Amino acid sequence: MATVFHVPHDDHDARAGALRNVENLLADETHDGDVTVVCNAGGIEALLADGPHSDAVRDLHENGVRLALCSNTLAGTAYDEADLLDGVEIVSSAMAELTRLQRAGAAYIRP
């Protein structure tokens, strides 16, 4: 089963905890579905190339995790696509992406 993690957190520790949850799911041998991390609001900090979570997120992406960022969030910040980690996909909105994934059967997790 596919899983989508919603990461909108402004707090560093909350983002770090959410990313650990993704790592734990990937390490679970009983899980065999696709994993997507959808970030919006303060969650953008998780996807910055020079951000505090960049190493962890690069590892997740290298292990097949899809990374999605809300275009509304990006537009509302001083960041642009060049500030993001390689592999981050800009989606029309976090809410629409979460809805699409859940409609397709993904389990929704907001750690």
Side-chain angles (χ1 to χ4, degrees):
M1 169 183 253
T3 306
V4 57
F5 286 83
H6 181 197
V7 182
H9 312 296
D10 288 327
D11 179 74
H12 175 275
D13 292 339
R15 286 190 305 270
L19 297 172
R20 276 192 307 277
N21 286 173
V22 178
E23 291 169 355
N24 291 339
L25 180 62
L26 293 177
D28 186 329
E29 295 174 4
T30 66
H31 182 267
D32 63 356
D34 296 329
V35 178
T36 300
V37 172
V38 176
C39 295
N40 69 308
I44 191 173
E45 298 285 328
L47 302 179
L48 297 176
D50 63 354
H53 308 288
S54 60
D55 290 339
V57 175
R58 276 188 194 96
D59 288 345
L60 292 175
H61 185 63
E62 289 172 5
N63 284 298
V65 174
R66 179 176 168 248
L67 307 171
L69 175 65
C70 175
S71 64
N72 297 321
T73 294
L74 184 61
T77 68
Y79 301 117
D80 59 37
E81 287 189 52
D83 296 314
L84 303 174
L85 289 161
D86 289 339
V88 173
E89 178 183 343
I90 309 301
V91 295
S92 60
S93 73
M95 298 308 108
E97 189 66 13
L98 292 167
T99 300
R100 278 190 286 277
L101 291 168
Q102 289 178 80
R103 188 179 321 129
Y108 171 83
I109 299 175
R110 182 175 170 180

